Amino acid sequence: MPDQTGLLQRGPLRRAGTGLLAALLSCTAALSAAASAEIYRVSQEDSVIGTPFYVKTDAEHTLLDVGRHYGSGYDEMKQANPSVDMWVPGDNQDVLVPDFHVLPDAPRQGLVMNLAEKRLYYYHSATEVEVFSVGIGREGWETPVGTYSVIEKIKDPTWTPPASIRAEYEKRGETLPAVVPAGPENPLGAYAMRLSNPSYLIHGTNKPWGVGMPVSSGCTRMYPEDIEALFAKVDKGTPVRIVDQPYKIGWRGDQLFLEVNLTEEQSPASPKQVVPGKYAQADDVALDWDEVRRALQENSGLPRLVGVRQGAKSWHKLESVF
């Protein structure tokens, strides 16, 4: 059972599970562990998974520690907790864990990565999915959008930095060796999966603070414990779709949710541009355009309830969370 007041006692970080429950409307941290941790189950008609919840911080841990414990990366923890200091959150501080997502608009097969949210989805099937925070390529070294596959799996990889990266290090007065051997100094970590665009890998890292940030040279970084778990499950030939969807919209039952993930440099689109016509023009959908605008303004990275099916008794205001 996870510690409901914060992180577990000192020791290796452990994932508490993606099925944790919280009392949404009252925003309490009433958590309960799911029987099958880290796997979300969703009907083929729905596309919203998870439940956000609050935990209490302690004086010994940063917001990054809290995020890693629950599988969240830097940017999403910052986005969900804009008033909390990332490095010194303080003792007994309420911190929102953003365990709540709209699935990307992509086939539910293999691996789907959404660059806008820095998140990787692994579909066991169309109705079972695991979610991982990832680090992606920084400006000028962006991770490329496209459809690929896993062509190679490597345990304890060596790193052969390309000439472009070695030149970049030289400009900073640093010299990279031609080959970095496997071990704690290797930036690829202990596991790597090569894509059919062979310059790009999904790999671990020796700098886990970069997970959830655009800091790599194009490859995808994962927490060491996450890549180890994923590596064991993903076969060669698994499809990998990389998309860039800052606006995601989808159903959970009769409720329609909008999730917004914009960078600080991006300005939100207009509400009419964000909500597709199949929702905006449907006779059986009641939209609250004020909620759409609020989702765009807040850019919290958390799904916001913006509509319901006509006649459904499922409209709840969740301002205390969103």
Side-chain angles (χ1 to χ4, degrees):
M1 175 69 72
D3 179 357
Q4 296 183 15
T5 63
L7 293 176
L8 300 174
Q9 298 298 315
R10 280 185 174 273
L13 289 168
R14 292 199 294 124
R15 190 64 49 78
T18 55
L20 294 174
L21 299 178
L24 257 180
L25 298 181
S26 61
C27 294
T28 68
L31 310 180
S32 61
S36 181
E38 299 189 7
I39 298 178
Y40 299 89
R41 290 177 173 81
V42 59
S43 73
Q44 296 194 47
E45 293 75 30
D46 288 347
S47 55
V48 179
I49 57 174
T51 302
F53 57 92
Y54 279 100
V55 295
K56 294 285 189 181
T57 60
D58 60 42
E60 298 182 21
H61 295 96
T62 69
L63 208 60
L64 293 180
D65 295 327
V66 178
R68 182 176 178 183
H69 181 74
Y70 292 106
S72 297
Y74 180 98
D75 280 357
E76 62 183 316
M77 289 298 292
K78 181 179 179 181
Q79 201 173 359
N81 298 277
S83 63
V84 180
D85 189 293
M86 289 295 296
W87 304 105
V88 188
D91 198 24
N92 205 37
Q93 173 76 41
D94 287 322
V95 167
L96 180 60
V97 178
D99 184 23
F100 195 27
H101 319 293
V102 178
L103 297 176
D105 184 11
R108 298 185 185 184
Q109 181 184 19
L111 296 168
V112 176
M113 186 191 313
N114 185 14
L115 300 178
E117 56 180 313
K118 305 172 198 70
R119 199 169 288 129
L120 178 68
Y121 297 81
Y122 172 51
Y123 288 94
H124 295 238
S125 68
T127 57
E128 291 188 343
V129 61
E130 286 183 83
V131 184
F132 305 94
S133 291
V134 296
I136 62 172
R138 63 190 184 278
E139 185 178 0
W141 300 77
E142 288 85 358
T143 304
V145 169
T147 301
Y148 311 101
S149 63
V150 175
I151 63 169
E152 185 181 11
K153 297 174 61 180
I154 313 159
K155 188 178 183 303
D156 297 322
T158 59
W159 181 43
T160 304
S164 57
I165 294 180
R166 296 183 70 187
E168 184 183 19
Y169 272 70
E170 288 288 348
K171 292 178 182 178
R172 302 201 302 257
E174 302 176 49
T175 300
L176 274 179
V179 177
V180 179
E185 301 303 316
N186 191 311
L188 301 184
Y191 300 89
M193 298 186 291
R194 190 176 303 279
L195 303 186
S196 51
N197 183 344
S199 298
Y200 295 92
L201 304 168
I202 298 172
H203 61 79
T205 181
N206 62 345
K207 296 179 179 178
W209 56 262
V211 172
M213 300 175 68
V215 293
S216 80
S217 298
C219 290
T220 299
R221 298 179 181 180
M222 299 182 68
Y223 286 128
E225 59 273 20
D226 284 350
I227 185 63
E228 181 177 5
L230 188 64
F231 187 91
K233 300 172 184 177
V234 171
D235 297 324
K236 286 194 293 185
T238 296
V240 181
R241 292 176 176 85
I242 302 177
V243 300
D244 189 7
Q245 299 175 3
Y247 309 106
K248 299 183 298 173
I249 192 165
W251 292 104
R252 175 179 268 180
D254 291 327
Q255 298 179 324
L256 185 66
F257 289 86
L258 171 64
E259 180 183 335
V260 180
N261 292 280
L262 297 172
T263 66
E264 293 180 356
E265 294 75 26
Q266 291 175 308
S267 298
S270 71
K272 295 295 178 67
Q273 290 175 311
V274 168
V275 180
K278 65 179 180 179
Y279 305 115
Q281 300 168 16
D283 293 335
D284 62 342
V285 179
L287 282 169
D288 187 327
W289 289 104
D290 287 338
E291 292 300 308
V292 174
R293 295 183 187 93
R294 187 170 289 113
L296 293 171
Q297 292 167 358
E298 292 184 355
N299 185 34
S300 69
L302 284 160
R304 174 174 281 276
L305 181 61
V306 297
V308 296
R309 299 187 195 276
Q310 290 280 20
K313 298 179 180 179
S314 57
W315 187 272
H316 299 289
K317 297 290 186 180
L318 304 180
E319 294 91 347
S320 54
V321 173
F322 313 118

